[in-house]
Amino acid sequence: MSAVTRPPELQLEDPAAGDRHPAGDTVSSDLITLVLAAHHPLILNGLRHLFEHEQGCAVLATCADAAAALEAVRSRRPAILLIDAELPASGAVMVLGEIRRAQLPTQVVVLAAAPDDPQALDALRLGAQGVVLKEMSPEAVIRCVRRVHAREPWAERTAVEPALTKLLGQEMALRQLGRGLTRRETEVVRLAIRGVPTKEIAALLSVRQGTVKVHLHNIYDKLQVDGRLGLILFARRYGLV
């Protein structure tokens, strides 16, 4: 379960113990306010502990799923959303997409397991301002958050840029091979060859499932492949997966 508090003034929030600070705390304009989102309690509690003890930072909410994270961002308007790329059902990408569509001011930092994590790369393509790897030190996570908040360059991004460049190159190759695939069809292919179900593709792209099915039909026709299996084999043949 996720815990999101909505007091009238800023308060630090503990998902297990509830509000721990009295009302009346004032919010400094220099504070870095955060919403933290992770599926695993150990990661979530570790992030909360890290930032609650970091000077100049305030944790507004901790969330264990994408829906709670999005609600917290909408209602609390934190400066930073730090979100685990491994939230179920492409949760981090869905949240980032909604933040971008609603033009919310929150900046997003993604916590990833590896430089080539597909969810983290998707998040970067959708406008995430930071990616930090789980193998990095707590100090590196804090440094990234501070730099993103200050809109400064951050060194950790170099860890994922090669993988992102490769992904963009694969997409360009796919469009060249695809005999006129549209940009949206290319997005559908990229998700489909990773095994993302049609329902989740629709949610990520904010379209109806029927629309995704139409795109897939057009893709199969343009690539001259037989269904999803044929699409995956096509992608493997040309080194797209």
Side-chain angles (χ1 to χ4, degrees), residues 188 191-192 196-207 212 216 228:
V188 171
L191 294 169
V196 179
T198 301
K199 182 178 180 180
E200 290 184 21
I201 294 176
L204 289 171
L205 301 181
S206 298
V207 297
V212 174
L216 285 170
R228 284 244 187 173

Side-chain angles (χ1 to χ4, degrees), residues 16-164:
D19 298 334
R20 304 189 310 172
H21 297 262
D25 291 348
T26 57
V27 181
S28 167
S29 60
D30 295 328
L31 268 181
I32 302 176
T33 54
L34 299 106
V35 165
L36 309 174
H39 179 60
H40 298 289
L42 185 62
I43 294 176
L44 188 59
N45 288 330
L47 290 172
R48 176 181 57 79
H49 180 81
L50 176 66
F51 284 101
E52 282 186 348
H53 291 82
E54 178 65 18
Q55 184 177 5
C57 295
V59 178
L60 301 183
T62 57
C63 310
D65 59 62
L70 186 57
E71 170 60 22
V73 170
R74 285 172 170 164
S75 61
R76 303 307 302 273
R77 299 297 177 99
I80 300 289
L81 169 65
L82 178 55
I83 187 168
D84 192 337
E86 294 184 352
L87 277 181
S90 303
V93 175
M94 182 277 287
V95 172
L96 188 56
E98 290 297 326
I99 287 174
R100 187 170 74 164
R101 275 186 285 275
Q103 297 184 331
L104 299 176
T106 298
Q107 296 178 287
V108 179
V109 175
V110 178
L111 187 64
D116 58 353
D117 186 326
Q119 301 286 10
L121 296 177
D122 285 343
L124 276 177
R125 294 177 69 255
L126 285 170
Q129 289 79 20
V131 173
V132 288
L133 304 181
K134 293 179 181 179
E135 66 184 25
M136 291 179 175
S137 67
E139 292 76 17
V141 177
I142 292 171
R143 183 168 62 251
C144 177
V145 165
R146 289 192 177 280
R147 289 184 176 179
V148 167
H149 182 257
R151 291 176 168 77
E152 296 176 354
W154 48 279
E156 285 73 18
R157 181 162 184 161
T158 60
V160 297
E161 280 184 340
L164 181 60

